[in-house]
Amino acid sequence: MTIAKTRPVSDYPPGGDAFRHRHLIGIAQLTPWEISYVLDAAEQWVDLNRAGAAKHDDALAGLTIINAFFENSTRTLLSFEIAGKRLGADVVNMHAAQSSVKKGETLIDTAMTLNAMRADALVIRHQSSGAVQLIADKVDCPVLNAGDGRHEHPTQALLDALTIRRRKGKVEGLTIAICGDVLHSRVARSNILALTLLGNEVRVVAPPTLTPPAIERMHVTTFTDMNEGIRDADVVMMLRLQNERMDGAYLPSAREYHALYGLTPKRLEKAKPDAIVMHPGPMNRGVEIDSSVADDPVRSTITEQVEMGVAVRMACLDILTRRKRKIPGWA
Ligand code: ASP
């Protein structure tokens, strides 16, 4: 596999040319320097978030952000809400369970309704791949994909890249093993796209039944043996078994899955001694990951990922509303 060099961070163009997109639908639309641009923008919010003030900036004051979540979420919804509020926006949450979607309203009608409310940005999570793009095509404001079906979860990949960059000092030239239920995972898909684009060696480690067909076309190496797949890895990224997306028997049992693919302290010894362990959450403790690994204060980055999520979402909301706010250079 050829590893592309990351474009130097200083090399991205000025102003709006550094990030030309109206929406954030997927990593597939981004270049390496656009990813670096978002990560650099996010970096500035991390310290401020750590300082603990509830609000840091009025950049988004007077703007209304609607979080429309047609699928359950804990961390992503909260993270977008906190991100918007820290930038001074008015944030409104719409949960599908309480919305007219349950009464049979079509997705397009819901999109038209949200549009008529003149939101300044829409953050959408939906159980169907492609649904977020469909809405983006119908509305006048920027749309951010907070996860659509098995397709993409771009802010998760961006926050993972930021976490890796901060822990490893770089996010290129690393060996990264993405392990578990890759077949049903939008997190895996967005991460494979981002991490290969940035010039890392990405391995997919999964049972044959949970390995997407033709995944090698995404410039990854596949492994069915977990011990082999994580050998000498710098980063071990675990995925949740997405039982809600399984429409048949993909595994004999959770116990057998843990025996073959669970990340135990013993198994982690195969990776580099300073390898970090990641998980997007929510975790199935004792299934894909042991508690002693997940809670290891040195190796595990799981809470740091959540923290980076707020900074990355602040950066994305800020960047995507700059045209609307008529920031010089973002016409
Ligand atoms: N929270 C992530 C997602 O929304 C990962 C998961 O659910 O397992 O895709």
Side-chain angles (χ1 to χ4, degrees), residues 71 75-76 125 153 156 186-187 240 242 244 280-282:
E71 196 190 71
R75 72 212 76 224
T76 307
R125 167 167 287 193
H153 192 350
Q156 177 74 47
R186 54 195 175 208
V187 173
R240 183 174 64 92
Q242 314 224 341
E244 77 278 17

Side-chain angles (χ1 to χ4, degrees), residues 145-221:
N145 183 2
D148 64 326
R150 303 180 188 187
H151 174 227
E152 281 229 38
H153 192 350
T155 55
Q156 177 74 47
L158 292 166
L159 75 87
D160 287 339
L162 183 62
T163 306
I164 296 171
R165 194 171 85 167
R166 288 172 62 92
R167 277 292 187 108
K168 293 282 163 199
K170 60 179 186 177
V171 59
E172 60 179 308
L174 299 172
T175 301
I176 301 172
I178 301 181
C179 313
D181 184 1
V182 180
L183 181 67
H184 300 101
S185 176
R186 54 195 175 208
V187 173
R189 207 179 134 73
S190 290
N191 262 303
I192 290 169
L193 289 165
L195 295 169
T196 53
L197 202 60
L198 293 173
N200 300 283
E201 182 202 335
V202 178
R203 302 176 184 168
V204 158
V205 187
T209 48
L210 295 177
T211 305
I215 187 81
E216 291 84 359
R217 284 199 212 137
M218 294 185 81
H219 310 291
V220 297
T221 326

Side-chain angles (χ1 to χ4, degrees), residues 149-330:
R150 303 180 188 187
H151 174 227
E152 281 229 38
H153 192 350
T155 55
Q156 177 74 47
L158 292 166
L159 75 87
D160 287 339
L162 183 62
T163 306
I164 296 171
R165 194 171 85 167
R166 288 172 62 92
R167 277 292 187 108
K168 293 282 163 199
K170 60 179 186 177
V171 59
E172 60 179 308
L174 299 172
T175 301
I176 301 172
I178 301 181
C179 313
D181 184 1
V182 180
L183 181 67
H184 300 101
S185 176
R186 54 195 175 208
V187 173
R189 207 179 134 73
S190 290
N191 262 303
I192 290 169
L193 289 165
L195 295 169
T196 53
L197 202 60
L198 293 173
N200 300 283
E201 182 202 335
V202 178
R203 302 176 184 168
V204 158
V205 187
T209 48
L210 295 177
T211 305
I215 187 81
E216 291 84 359
R217 284 199 212 137
M218 294 185 81
H219 310 291
V220 297
T221 326
T222 53
F223 292 83
T224 50
D225 181 329
M226 177 88 171
N227 294 326
E228 284 304 311
I230 66 170
R231 189 179 301 283
D232 296 326
D234 298 289
V235 177
V236 181
M237 184 183 288
M238 301 306 299
L239 301 170
R240 183 174 64 92
L241 269 185
Q242 314 224 341
N243 293 310
E244 77 278 17
R245 297 197 198 287
M246 296 187 192
D247 49 10
Y250 287 82
L251 302 164
S253 69
R255 182 195 289 248
E256 191 163 334
Y257 181 78
H258 176 262
L260 292 173
Y261 293 97
L263 190 61
T264 59
K266 179 103 197 82
R267 195 161 267 148
L268 184 57
E269 286 172 14
K270 302 270 187 278
K272 288 212 178 118
D274 62 349
I276 57 168
V277 175
M278 309 183 78
H279 194 301
M283 282 183 274
N284 290 313
R285 289 173 181 264
V287 181
E288 72 264 4
I289 190 164
D290 276 16
S291 282
S292 56
V293 178
D295 300 333
D296 181 329
V298 179
R299 314 290 291 274
S300 169
T301 65
I302 295 169
T303 50
E304 200 174 324
Q305 287 170 265
V306 177
E307 187 188 0
M308 293 309 121
V310 177
V312 156
R313 287 163 183 136
M314 288 172 83
C316 292
L317 289 170
D318 171 26
I319 291 168
L320 285 167
T321 55
R322 283 185 195 164
R323 284 188 182 82
K324 173 134 204 160
R325 291 185 283 131
K326 303 201 182 339
I327 303 291
W330 289 77

Side-chain angles (χ1 to χ4, degrees), residues 7-19:
R7 194 169 166 137
V9 168
S10 57
D11 214 11
Y12 47 68
D17 286 341
F19 197 93

